[in-house]
Amino acid sequence: MEWNKLIQERHTSFAWKEEVPSEEIILETLQEVYENIPSKNLMFPYQVRLLRNNDPITIKEIFSICHRNADLDATNDPGNPQVLAPWLLSFSPRSTKDLESRYEKTVKPSDDQIPDIEIGIFCAYMMLSLANKGIQTGNCRCIRNFDRLDEIFKVDDIRFIMGIGYAKDSKVRYNYFDPRVEKEKPIPFAPIDAEVVYPRPKFNDVIRVIKEN
């Protein structure tokens, strides 16, 4: 896909088609990203776990763990339907202390933020690589029970999760089935309206050119 079209096509999805991307295409994308992504000294200080999200009990539990608004009960909470996607990726740190001293014996362990920085890079690659295949994503950090989520994904210290699937029309605010209360609710907002709900800051508030006098 042409670059400008690709970055415009990618969006955070809350509504998923019944069609499920094959495991092969997800693994192919993970391999593609793994082989081409930058990582400090190729240490990969993070772990990624892929879960087929099709067990009703687990779906409800993950959705409940990812409660959107802590100020609202399950009946009134809009929810995070991005985690109802047919596939979920979890991201957590991976110890690389043994690799950090390969060529520099007196090196101090890396800052704890390094895994989060590289996880962010990995996610960006995944979102774009999947969008190039017509597959969309939705990230979630509203995690209310990290310990239980770790148990579900069989890993430690999950930082956030990504839903993966074929998205419905980004211009429509669909309903979805909330397994917590067994009722239909509207998705938080149509993806095309993201900047209405969360206004984008001005370009110059984020990006500036620094010039010497």
Side-chain angles (χ1 to χ4, degrees), residues 164-207:
I164 297 173
Y166 292 112
K168 293 182 178 179
D169 190 340
S170 65
K171 300 179 181 65
V172 178
R173 191 181 185 190
Y174 293 93
N175 284 345
Y176 76 95
F177 184 78
D178 185 335
R180 299 171 298 182
V181 295
E182 298 185 346
K183 291 182 180 179
E184 286 204 347
K185 292 181 180 179
I187 61 175
F189 51 86
I192 198 172
D193 293 328
E195 293 191 39
V196 176
V197 180
Y198 301 112
R200 188 186 300 268
K202 294 179 181 178
F203 180 88
N204 288 335
D205 288 343
V206 179
I207 301 167

Side-chain angles (χ1 to χ4, degrees), residues 6 8 14 21 52 58 64 73 174 182 192 208:
L6 173 60
Q8 291 165 8
F14 298 114
R52 176 68 175 94
T58 304
S64 299
D73 61 17
Y174 293 93
E182 298 185 346
I192 198 172
R208 297 185 185 184

